Amino acid sequence: KVDGKEVHLTPIEYKLLTLMAQNVGRVLTHNMILKEVWQNTLSADTQSLRVYMASLRNKVEVPLGEKIIQTHIGIGYQMIRL
């Protein structure tokens, strides 16, 4: 739930959110996220990761009105502690 409302996530979005929540404060590289979430991927799949992260942000951050996932350009993503 986000702001008291149920949020429906795809299986990939759920895996991303879980991985980020388990590593709050840590910068996770694109390759590390791809290996953990998709297992069999190429580093070229970074564009797919960006699409899923944008979708996850829209579902989680927009209702909160706060950014909880930071982008580290060329490196990866970091969930920050609120």
Side-chain angles (χ1 to χ4, degrees):
K1 291 186 176 189
V2 175
D3 201 25
K5 296 178 185 170
E6 192 169 310
V7 176
H8 295 280
L9 301 176
T10 68
I12 296 287
E13 291 168 344
Y14 182 78
K15 287 180 182 179
L16 284 169
L17 184 61
T18 301
L19 179 63
M20 299 298 291
Q22 290 171 340
N23 292 282
V24 171
R26 263 183 78 197
V27 176
L28 305 179
T29 66
H30 295 131
N31 286 338
M32 187 263 196
I33 296 170
L34 290 168
K35 285 180 190 174
E36 289 291 321
V37 175
W38 280 274
Q39 279 98 36
N40 300 322
T41 60
L42 304 170
S43 57
D45 291 335
T46 304
Q47 186 57 38
S48 295
L49 173 57
R50 287 188 184 115
V51 170
Y52 277 102
M53 289 302 283
S55 176
L56 180 60
R57 283 180 163 144
N58 282 332
K59 292 178 179 181
V60 177
E61 290 182 338
V62 172
L64 286 176
E66 294 189 46
K67 296 214 178 269
I68 60 170
I69 301 172
Q70 293 181 336
T71 300
H72 292 264
I73 298 170
I75 299 169
Y77 299 93
Q78 176 184 21
M79 180 177 274
I80 59 169
R81 199 175 303 272
L82 292 179

